[in-house]
Amino acid sequence: MKELMLGNKAFARGLYEAGCSFVSSYPGTPSTEVTEEAVKYDEIYCEWAPNEKVAMEAAFGASLAGVRSYCGMKHVGLNVAADPLYTMSYTGVNGGVVICVADDAGMHSSQNEQDSRHHAIASKVPMLEPSDSAETLSFVKLAYDLSEEYDTPVIVKMCTRVAHSQSVVETSERAQIAKKPYEKNIPKNVMMPGNAIKRHPFVEERTEKLRKLSETASFNRVEMRDAATTGKHIGIITCSTTYQYVREAFGNTVSVLKLGMVNPLPVDLIKDFASKVDTVIVAEELDPIIENHCRALGINVYGKDVLPICGEFSQNLLKKYLSPIVTGEEYKGEDVSAIEDAIPNRPPVMCAGCPHRGLFYTLSKNKCTVLGDIGCYTLGAVAPLSAMDMTLCMGASVSAIHGFNKAGGGENEGKTVAVIGDSTFMHSGMTGLANIAYNQSDSTVIILDNSITGMTGHQQNPTTGLNIKGDPAGKIDLEALCRSMGFERVRVVDPYDLKACDDAIKEELAVKAPSVIISRRPCALLKNVKHNPPLRVNRDKCVGCKSCMKIGCPAISMKDGKAHIDNTLCVGCGICEQLCPVGAFESCQKEA
Amino acid sequence: MSTKNVMIVGVGGQGSLLASKLLGRLLLDEGYDVKVSEVHGMSQRGGSVVTYVRYGEHVYSPVIDKGEADVIVSFELLEAARWLPFLKKDGTVVTNIQQIDPMPVITGAMEYPGELVEKMKNSGAKVDALDCLKLAEEAGSSKAVNIVLMGRLSHYFDMPEEAWMKAMEAIVPAKFLEMNKKAFELGKNA
């Protein structure tokens, strides 16, 4: 059946059709929907793991037990899971293992723009890279076959434009894959030096076999230009979504070598292609990996000397940078319409009623140094709150505050906090907390417990008490966990109560002891959260002092010198009401 | 035929994903190759969001570049102006006249530009502006703004109304179907 399908949904369909029966992932844009779609198939067991390393090791365990397994993550998640990956390359698999890594060129929703192909090369694990949904579906199935035939995990690399674009796919039935027996095999699966040293040559031989396969396999394909095209013969070597931009920009006037496997890269195929054209261009987003491979083969190519290394590509970007080479003419750009006015930016903001707002307002008011983390609350860095000093990676707030306070002593300890969400804390905040407990800095860690993984679109986690299907599951008690690590000062505040937040932060910063504040209130967007009626402004009382504007609430603006509330956005959280010196905010309900 | 380009723009949370789903379904049913590119993640938190819909005999790129859109469908007036450079010279903007203040306006750092419909027209674009929120409420729900816009967009698509209705039946939950059909008609006839 023909269907229009999101790349990530096509990935999940590929898992289903390939007979995958075990999925363990940690959410991360743009990879999340693979797992959210996979869970809709009853034949596949799915779970959210606390982090990517755990997910990959769980998938490894399932493979060891004999089933086809999967784990998915965003590019930075693969850094967390790099440890198991690099050695799973040595052990290989029992049931096939497919790993999704989704890169985010253009940083639509990420803290860096790393190119995950480096991990494939460094771990010596094969990597396939589809360019649309149909290819995603077929590559996932191919990946399982390669995984079992070549005894290796296989990475299928997505990018934002493949993961989050819908294109047409044809679906088929699920393959009936029998569970393989588990057989104890110490030399293959126990990676201590004496065994691993014998597996390394296997890895090198495997890479060479896969390289040979890549010379002739259909996942790498040559498309020669229209016979009618005259002029200099341009050949473009490309992969992923850039292939689509190449075709969009230059049609069939250029020859294309489209690489579906980006590790290992073919040698003879590339040499042969280069020999048939006058000029070779390598068009790839982010780092010059295919380009460097070509240069190492002694092939003269255009690459990052003409194309950008930063950001996403598009058809017009390729026309801009490559037209002088392809057509011999400058690309002048499209004739566009525009208005003259400066258009105000519309950056993402904390939602109206977001429980993080009251806490960040309090941190801002107390002029705290705030070591932040990854999640919706990173938006606490945005004006007017501007209450964040650092964001690095998952869990870094808790680890970094310890170093910051040890180095800075009492002066830092008295005004610095770490803020981390519930899901991020479970991901990699706990180990940092253990370091504070063990090596004793008087650090104050605030866990923003909104009962969900927010930014990636509401996934359950070990603190919510629900599993990926929303059914009851184990629930980790944050207070008990922190106390068991040796924190004597653990307190819970409601971030809608500004005075309670202020008291808690002042007291915990003043005390000479490590402490944890749990700021607890569910995300305002959760369906089961009951809201108060919206507030309205009594214009007779409002003096236009703008005290309520300090919290950056998207529901509040100034109209004719007085505060105004958009009642389609307001959820009646009452933070503004607590800031108003003249009591101008009233509940709409009282009015009725 | 050459590939046609439709952009759907708005503010995160306004319901543009349903609109693109409907369009995708319609175009696939009509036998076109289709690509739809969406934005998920951080920008959805009240940020400026854009969806690209491309259709034709064979569609390569999933994205629309500057100067390429045949139609821009906008859920919010400022967003129509923001994405205007993506419109072809003879293209059309179909926009809701609703205004949602972005943070620089809320904080008073900038003003929401006035007379945007006129200014866009003066730039050479064809602009079809309507009060979708009012029409959606008339149809029965403020959430039907997306379907009102789709009704209006149907003027610029050479496809029978039955095809739109068929796509709607496939996409919209049964209990909201009648309300959405009304929203579609109100948008179409506005």
Side-chain angles (χ1 to χ4, degrees):
Chain A
M1 194 178 110
K2 261 191 176 181
E3 262 184 81
L4 196 57
M5 208 180 259
L6 197 69
N8 281 347
K9 191 176 174 182
F11 202 123
R13 181 74 199 180
L15 297 177
Y16 170 78
E17 291 183 11
C20 168
S21 56
F22 182 93
V23 166
S24 185
S25 301
Y26 186 78
T29 314
S31 71
T32 312
E33 299 82 3
V34 179
T35 301
E36 289 182 322
E37 291 293 335
V39 77
K40 293 176 185 170
Y41 297 107
D42 289 339
E43 294 87 344
I44 309 177
Y45 167 80
C46 293
E47 64 181 25
W48 290 125
N51 70 29
E52 296 86 354
K53 178 180 187 294
V54 173
M56 193 177 288
E57 289 156 352
F60 175 71
S63 160
L64 203 60
V67 305
R68 289 190 160 185
S69 68
Y70 164 85
C71 63
M73 60 208 67
K74 66 185 295 173
H75 56 323
V76 284
L78 191 56
N79 304 340
V80 178
D83 200 1
L85 176 71
Y86 282 53
T87 305
M88 278 166 70
S89 176
Y90 280 37
T91 60
V93 304
N94 186 23
V97 176
V98 168
I99 297 157
C100 168
V101 60
D103 281 15
D104 190 20
M107 287 182 275
H108 297 270
S109 208
S110 303
Q111 68 269 36
N112 77 19
E113 207 173 24
Q114 75 187 40
D115 190 328
S116 296
R117 292 179 296 174
H118 292 293
H119 272 307
I121 295 164
S123 66
K124 306 178 187 219
V125 167
M127 175 182 266
L128 299 169
E129 193 167 17
S131 68
D132 61 15
S133 298
E135 228 173 40
T136 302
L137 202 168
S138 70
F139 278 15
V140 171
K141 294 201 281 187
L142 169 69
Y144 275 110
D145 292 342
L146 292 176
S147 173
E148 288 173 0
E149 187 180 342
Y150 289 84
D151 193 9
T152 178
V154 176
I155 304 172
V156 177
K157 175 178 171 274
M158 302 289 275
C159 66
T160 299
R161 294 301 179 189
V162 175
H164 287 163
S165 291
Q166 300 178 45
S167 57
V168 181
V169 301
E170 282 208 53
T171 57
S172 48
E173 295 304 306
R174 178 173 168 90
Q176 294 307 317
I177 304 291
K179 186 178 171 210
K180 293 184 177 178
Y182 168 69
E183 283 164 17
K184 187 166 180 163
N185 188 342
I186 291 174
K188 182 176 187 307
N189 292 323
V190 182
M191 285 301 95
M192 53 206 252
N195 294 335
I197 205 158
K198 291 177 193 133
R199 290 297 288 179
H200 189 185
F202 162 79
V203 171
E204 299 304 325
E205 285 159 24
R206 181 182 70 203
T207 299
E208 181 54 18
K209 280 183 192 159
L210 283 160
R211 199 270 305 157
K212 279 191 182 130
L213 174 76
S214 78
E215 305 288 0
T216 53
S218 59
F219 51 71
N220 291 334
R221 66 173 189 265
V222 174
E223 298 170 358
M224 295 310 279
R225 70 175 182 178
D226 268 353
T229 311
T230 54
K232 202 160 68 168
H233 191 167
I234 305 292
I236 302 183
I237 305 176
T238 187
C239 59
S240 183
T241 188
T242 307
Y243 163 78
Q244 309 289 358
Y245 304 143
V246 166
R247 281 289 176 226
E248 190 75 38
F250 304 115
N252 295 325
T253 63
V254 295
S255 293
V256 172
L257 170 53
K258 196 263 183 203
L259 297 172
M261 186 185 268
V262 292
N263 186 56
L265 287 165
V267 171
D268 299 332
L269 181 65
I270 289 175
K271 281 184 177 166
D272 184 60
F273 178 75
S275 73
K276 287 177 180 157
V277 300
D278 301 321
T279 302
V280 182
I281 301 169
V282 177
E284 57 189 325
E285 278 181 341
L286 302 177
D287 293 343
I289 286 172
I290 301 170
E291 177 186 344
N292 288 347
H293 175 73
C294 291
R295 290 191 195 283
L297 296 176
I299 300 167
N300 191 21
V301 299
Y302 287 104
K304 296 297 169 184
D305 46 347
V306 290
L307 285 163
I309 205 163
C310 305
E312 273 190 298
F313 286 0
S314 69
Q315 52 268 32
N316 286 0
L317 179 140
L318 291 188
K319 284 185 202 167
K320 179 180 170 189
Y321 292 105
L322 299 183
S323 285
I325 304 167
V326 174
T327 64
E329 287 170 22
E330 294 287 331
Y331 171 66
K332 295 191 178 61
E334 309 294 326
D335 193 10
V336 302
S337 311
I339 65 166
E340 285 171 12
D341 298 57
I343 296 185
N345 285 337
R346 193 186 297 276
V349 291
M350 280 184 196
C351 307
C354 176
H356 302 326
R357 178 170 285 108
L359 188 95
F360 277 98
Y361 169 75
T362 309
L363 295 174
S364 172
K365 194 184 84 166
N366 283 296
K367 298 189 169 52
C368 292
T369 300
V370 181
L371 305 187
D373 226 295
I374 308 287
C376 284
Y377 47 90
T378 312
L379 295 170
V382 178
L385 292 167
S386 306
M388 197 164 285
D389 294 72
M390 182 284 287
T391 301
L392 184 67
C393 64
M394 297 285 283
S397 60
V398 187
S399 324
I401 192 175
H402 174 76
F404 192 75
N405 286 346
K406 278 282 182 193
E411 195 189 327
N412 285 5
E413 285 170 345
K415 64 177 186 190
T416 307
V417 299
V419 293
I420 183 165
D422 49 333
S423 186
T424 310
F425 180 73
M426 293 315 297
H427 178 284
S428 47
M430 287 188 291
T431 39
L433 203 69
N435 195 33
I436 294 172
Y438 171 46
N439 286 310
Q440 293 287 302
S441 59
D442 292 339
S443 297
T444 299
V445 173
I446 304 176
I447 302 174
L448 305 166
D449 179 8
N450 65 349
S451 311
I452 204 73
T453 313
M455 179 60 84
T456 44
H458 287 172
Q459 290 76 30
Q460 304 297 339
N461 69 55
T463 69
T464 66
L466 300 172
N467 67 18
I468 191 170
K469 288 177 184 264
D471 296 330
K475 180 174 165 64
I476 289 176
D477 179 331
L478 284 171
E479 294 93 307
L481 175 70
C482 298
R483 286 200 183 98
S484 72
M485 283 191 182
F487 283 76
E488 284 170 16
R489 301 190 67 91
V490 178
R491 61 198 282 179
V492 179
V493 295
D494 177 357
Y496 277 4
D497 183 342
L498 291 181
K499 180 160 190 316
C501 286
D502 196 57
D503 289 348
I505 288 165
K506 284 197 167 89
E507 285 167 26
E508 298 310 327
L509 283 174
V511 76
K512 291 272 171 215
S515 59
V516 173
I517 301 171
I518 299 170
S519 170
R520 177 169 290 147
R521 181 169 275 274
C523 172
L525 298 183
L526 282 171
K527 285 202 170 66
N528 59 357
V529 169
K530 296 268 179 292
H531 294 303
N532 292 323
L535 300 178
R536 60 188 287 277
V537 177
N538 183 330
R539 290 183 63 86
D540 293 335
K541 287 188 184 169
C542 177
V543 294
C545 70
K546 296 189 180 174
S547 293
C548 55
M549 300 297 290
K550 291 178 192 161
I551 53 175
C553 176
I556 310 175
S557 56
M558 296 299 285
K559 291 266 170 3
D560 308 320
K562 310 254 173 161
H564 170 79
I565 289 188
D566 179 341
N567 64 9
T568 65
L569 289 177
C570 178
V571 296
C573 75
I575 303 276
C576 55
E577 201 176 4
Q578 295 171 56
L579 292 172
C580 182
V582 294
F585 291 93
E586 299 168 349
S587 169
C588 284
Q589 208 171 41
K590 284 178 203 158
E591 190 70 10
Chain B
M1 65 173 274
S2 62
T3 301
K4 294 277 183 207
N5 300 318
V6 181
M7 281 171 72
I8 303 170
V9 304
V11 178
Q14 276 192 301
S16 61
L17 286 182
L18 183 75
S20 64
K21 207 170 164 189
L22 178 69
L23 265 187
R25 179 67 190 227
L26 169 78
L27 295 163
L28 192 67
D29 285 350
E30 291 293 291
Y32 293 107
D33 186 24
V34 188
K35 281 191 177 167
V36 179
S37 193
E38 304 164 354
V39 174
H40 299 227
M42 193 180 234
S43 311
Q44 282 185 299
R45 301 278 171 262
S48 170
V49 293
V50 57
T51 305
Y52 307 108
V53 180
R54 310 191 71 223
Y55 65 103
E57 265 172 43
H58 187 100
V59 180
Y60 286 107
S61 171
V63 301
I64 297 170
D65 234 319
K66 279 188 177 171
E68 289 188 337
D70 295 277
V71 184
I72 293 177
V73 181
S74 181
F75 281 66
E76 198 272 347
L77 197 53
L78 184 66
E79 294 309 308
R82 182 189 316 283
W83 294 96
L84 190 62
F86 282 71
L87 194 69
K88 268 185 189 159
K89 248 324 192 196
D90 57 348
T92 304
V93 177
V94 178
T95 184
N96 183 7
I97 58 168
Q98 191 183 349
Q99 300 189 6
I100 300 173
D101 287 347
M103 201 42 73
V105 173
I106 287 174
T107 60
M110 286 181 85
E111 297 221 336
Y112 195 107
E115 315 287 322
L116 282 176
V117 173
E118 283 311 306
K119 286 171 186 165
M120 287 193 285
K121 282 182 179 166
N122 291 341
S123 80
K126 288 172 224 153
V127 182
D128 187 354
L130 64 164
D131 189 342
C132 299
L133 191 57
K134 193 173 130 228
L135 294 170
E137 280 166 356
E138 201 180 317
S141 167
S142 59
K143 286 184 178 148
V145 162
N146 44 17
I147 302 298
V148 173
L149 273 168
M150 290 298 103
R152 196 67 197 167
L153 177 67
S154 69
H155 280 284
Y156 305 94
F157 273 54
D158 187 19
M159 276 164 217
E161 178 149 341
E162 303 84 76
W164 286 90
M165 290 303 130
K166 199 177 136 218
M168 197 122 83
E169 281 159 18
I171 297 295
V172 176
K175 60 176 174 173
F176 299 120
L177 191 60
E178 277 316 304
M179 187 270 288
N180 278 299
K181 281 184 172 174
K182 193 174 171 197
F184 187 90
E185 289 303 322
L186 285 169
K188 191 181 171 191
N189 300 321

